[in-house]
Amino acid sequence: MNTINEDEPRVAWLAGAIDADGTIGLWRLKDGRRLSICLSSTTSAFCVQASEWFRGGFVYLRKDKHKTHRGEKPMYQWEIRGRKALPILKAMMKWLIVKKEKAQGILQELTDRPIGQSTPEGRTARTEAVRRSWLDVDRRTVRIANIRRARWQK
Protein backbone atom coordinates (compact mmCIF):
# COMPACT_ATOMS: atom_id res chain seq x y z
CA MET A 1 0.00 0.00 0.00
CA ASN A 2 2.50 2.60 -1.17
CA THR A 3 0.05 5.01 -2.78
CA ILE A 4 -3.50 5.90 -1.87
CA ASN A 5 -5.84 7.93 -4.05
CA GLU A 6 -6.47 11.17 -2.17
CA ASP A 7 -9.79 11.67 -3.97
CA GLU A 8 -11.22 8.41 -2.65
CA PRO A 9 -14.20 9.04 -0.31
CA ARG A 10 -12.66 6.75 2.32
CA VAL A 11 -9.67 9.07 2.64
CA ALA A 12 -11.97 12.07 3.18
CA TRP A 13 -13.94 10.03 5.76
CA LEU A 14 -10.75 9.17 7.66
CA ALA A 15 -9.47 12.75 7.53
CA GLY A 16 -12.74 14.01 9.03
CA ALA A 17 -12.65 11.34 11.72
CA ILE A 18 -9.01 12.11 12.57
CA ASP A 19 -9.77 15.84 12.69
CA ALA A 20 -12.60 15.17 15.15
CA ASP A 21 -11.49 12.19 17.26
CA GLY A 22 -7.95 11.28 16.31
CA THR A 23 -4.30 12.08 16.68
CA ILE A 24 -1.34 12.36 14.36
CA GLY A 25 2.08 12.20 15.90
CA LEU A 26 5.77 11.64 15.36
CA TRP A 27 7.06 9.90 18.47
CA ARG A 28 10.69 9.70 19.55
CA LEU A 29 11.89 6.20 20.41
CA LYS A 30 15.21 4.72 21.51
CA ASP A 31 16.12 3.78 17.94
CA GLY A 32 14.69 6.79 16.10
CA ARG A 33 11.16 8.07 15.49
CA ARG A 34 7.79 6.56 14.60
CA LEU A 35 4.86 8.12 12.75
CA SER A 36 1.48 7.24 14.26
CA ILE A 37 -2.12 7.89 13.19
CA CYS A 38 -4.74 7.05 15.80
CA LEU A 39 -8.55 7.16 15.68
CA SER A 40 -10.67 6.92 18.86
CA SER A 41 -14.34 6.03 19.10
CA THR A 42 -16.86 4.59 21.53
CA THR A 43 -18.00 2.25 18.75
CA SER A 44 -15.72 -0.62 17.79
CA ALA A 45 -17.25 -0.91 14.30
CA PHE A 46 -15.98 2.59 13.47
CA CYS A 47 -12.38 1.60 14.23
CA VAL A 48 -12.68 -1.83 12.60
CA GLN A 49 -13.92 -0.15 9.41
CA ALA A 50 -10.81 2.06 9.30
CA SER A 51 -8.61 -0.99 9.81
CA GLU A 52 -10.29 -2.87 6.95
CA TRP A 53 -10.31 0.05 4.52
CA PHE A 54 -6.68 0.96 5.06
CA ARG A 55 -5.46 -2.64 5.41
CA GLY A 56 -3.42 -2.26 8.51
CA GLY A 57 -2.99 -1.11 12.02
CA PHE A 58 -4.71 -2.60 15.00
CA VAL A 59 -7.88 -2.00 16.99
CA TYR A 60 -7.88 -2.24 20.75
CA LEU A 61 -10.04 -1.37 23.73
CA ARG A 62 -8.63 1.28 26.05
CA LYS A 63 -9.29 0.24 29.61
CA ASP A 64 -7.73 3.20 31.36
CA LYS A 65 -9.68 6.26 32.37
CA HIS A 66 -7.94 9.20 30.76
CA LYS A 67 -8.57 12.89 31.26
CA THR A 68 -9.75 13.12 27.63
CA HIS A 69 -12.38 10.41 28.16
CA ARG A 70 -14.24 10.73 31.45
CA GLY A 71 -17.38 8.84 30.46
CA GLU A 72 -18.41 5.29 31.24
CA LYS A 73 -18.57 4.05 27.64
CA PRO A 74 -15.72 1.86 26.40
CA MET A 75 -13.12 3.62 24.26
CA TYR A 76 -11.83 1.84 21.15
CA GLN A 77 -8.80 2.92 19.18
CA TRP A 78 -7.44 2.14 15.73
CA GLU A 79 -3.77 2.89 15.31
CA ILE A 80 -1.46 2.53 12.34
CA ARG A 81 2.23 3.20 12.72
CA GLY A 82 5.49 3.59 10.87
CA ARG A 83 5.86 3.23 7.13
CA LYS A 84 2.25 2.10 6.64
CA ALA A 85 0.99 5.40 8.08
CA LEU A 86 2.98 7.67 5.77
CA PRO A 87 0.98 7.16 2.53
CA ILE A 88 -2.25 7.55 4.51
CA LEU A 89 -1.08 10.85 5.99
CA LYS A 90 -0.04 12.15 2.56
CA ALA A 91 -3.43 11.22 1.08
CA MET A 92 -5.34 12.88 3.94
CA MET A 93 -3.56 16.23 3.57
CA LYS A 94 -6.12 17.51 1.05
CA TRP A 95 -8.98 16.86 3.50
CA LEU A 96 -7.55 17.74 6.90
CA ILE A 97 -8.72 21.01 8.45
CA VAL A 98 -8.01 21.07 12.19
CA LYS A 99 -4.84 18.97 12.14
CA LYS A 100 -3.55 20.12 8.75
CA GLU A 101 -0.81 22.37 10.14
CA LYS A 102 0.47 19.63 12.44
CA ALA A 103 0.43 17.10 9.59
CA GLN A 104 2.33 19.50 7.33
CA GLY A 105 4.97 19.93 10.03
CA ILE A 106 5.33 16.16 10.39
CA LEU A 107 5.64 15.66 6.63
CA GLN A 108 8.26 18.41 6.46
CA GLU A 109 10.19 16.78 9.31
CA LEU A 110 10.06 13.42 7.53
CA THR A 111 11.22 15.02 4.27
CA ASP A 112 14.17 16.68 6.03
CA ARG A 113 15.05 13.61 8.12
CA PRO A 114 13.48 10.33 6.93
CA ILE A 115 12.54 7.55 9.33
CA GLY A 116 14.73 4.49 9.59
CA GLN A 117 18.00 3.12 10.86
CA SER A 118 19.75 4.47 7.80
CA THR A 119 19.36 7.96 9.22
CA PRO A 120 22.22 9.31 11.36
CA GLU A 121 20.08 9.33 14.50
CA GLY A 122 18.99 5.73 13.90
CA ARG A 123 22.55 4.53 13.35
CA THR A 124 23.80 6.37 16.43
CA ALA A 125 21.01 4.97 18.61
CA ARG A 126 21.64 1.42 17.36
CA THR A 127 25.40 1.74 17.89
CA GLU A 128 24.88 2.97 21.45
CA ALA A 129 22.42 0.15 22.17
CA VAL A 130 24.97 -2.45 21.00
CA ARG A 131 27.72 -0.81 23.07
CA ARG A 132 25.54 -0.85 26.18
CA SER A 133 24.58 -4.49 25.61
CA TRP A 134 28.27 -5.51 25.57
CA LEU A 135 28.67 -3.97 29.04
CA ASP A 136 26.36 -6.66 30.45
CA VAL A 137 28.76 -9.38 31.65
CA ASP A 138 26.30 -12.28 31.21
CA ARG A 139 25.38 -11.26 27.66
CA ARG A 140 29.01 -10.78 26.73
CA THR A 141 29.93 -14.25 28.05
CA VAL A 142 27.15 -15.91 26.01
CA ARG A 143 28.11 -14.01 22.86
CA ILE A 144 31.79 -14.94 23.16
CA ALA A 145 30.85 -18.58 23.74
CA ASN A 146 28.65 -18.53 20.63
CA ILE A 147 31.46 -16.99 18.55
CA ARG A 148 33.87 -19.73 19.69
CA ARG A 149 31.26 -22.43 18.98
CA ALA A 150 30.65 -21.02 15.48
CA ARG A 151 34.38 -21.13 14.72
CA TRP A 152 34.59 -24.79 15.72
CA GLN A 153 31.61 -25.70 13.54
CA LYS A 154 33.24 -24.42 10.32
Side-chain angles (χ1 to χ4, degrees):
M1 179 159 82
N2 291 334
T3 59
I4 297 173
N5 183 2
E6 67 180 21
D7 293 322
E8 189 174 347
R10 294 173 181 182
V11 174
W13 172 86
L14 182 63
I18 295 294
D19 261 345
D21 291 324
T23 59
I24 301 168
L26 189 60
W27 309 105
R28 293 195 184 281
L29 303 172
K30 286 188 279 186
D31 61 344
R33 299 164 297 149
R34 178 185 295 147
L35 174 62
S36 173
I37 298 173
C38 185
L39 172 64
S40 301
S41 177
T42 56
T43 307
S44 65
F46 200 71
C47 294
V48 168
Q49 188 65 64
S51 179
E52 289 173 1
W53 278 349
F54 294 95
R55 297 185 199 104
F58 50 93
V59 176
Y60 58 93
L61 174 64
R62 279 187 55 184
K63 296 184 186 231
D64 61 332
K65 293 289 183 188
H66 194 266
K67 64 182 178 183
T68 60
H69 179 67
R70 295 185 190 106
E72 296 300 318
K73 290 184 178 180
M75 176 67 74
Y76 296 92
Q77 286 190 323
W78 168 71
E79 187 170 5
I80 191 160
R81 300 176 181 165
R83 296 186 191 280
K84 290 183 179 181
L86 187 56
I88 296 171
L89 181 61
K90 287 179 179 178
M92 286 193 314
M93 284 304 297
K94 175 180 177 181
W95 303 102
L96 287 172
I97 298 168
V98 178
K99 295 183 172 78
K100 188 171 198 135
E101 189 175 321
K102 182 176 184 179
Q104 286 171 336
I106 289 171
L107 287 176
Q108 185 61 47
E109 171 78 14
L110 293 176
T111 301
D112 295 344
R113 297 185 321 149
I115 292 177
Q117 288 190 354
S118 62
T119 62
E121 68 180 356
R123 286 192 303 271
T124 302
R126 181 71 185 133
T127 300
E128 289 303 315
V130 170
R131 282 185 186 147
R132 282 191 307 274
S133 73
W134 276 97
L135 296 176
D136 182 359
V137 176
D138 295 331
R139 266 185 157 174
R140 186 172 58 235
T141 305
V142 170
R143 285 182 178 162
I144 291 171
N146 288 338
I147 291 170
R148 289 180 182 147
R149 199 173 303 128
R151 285 184 183 160
W152 280 101
Q153 290 176 353
K154 283 186 179 180

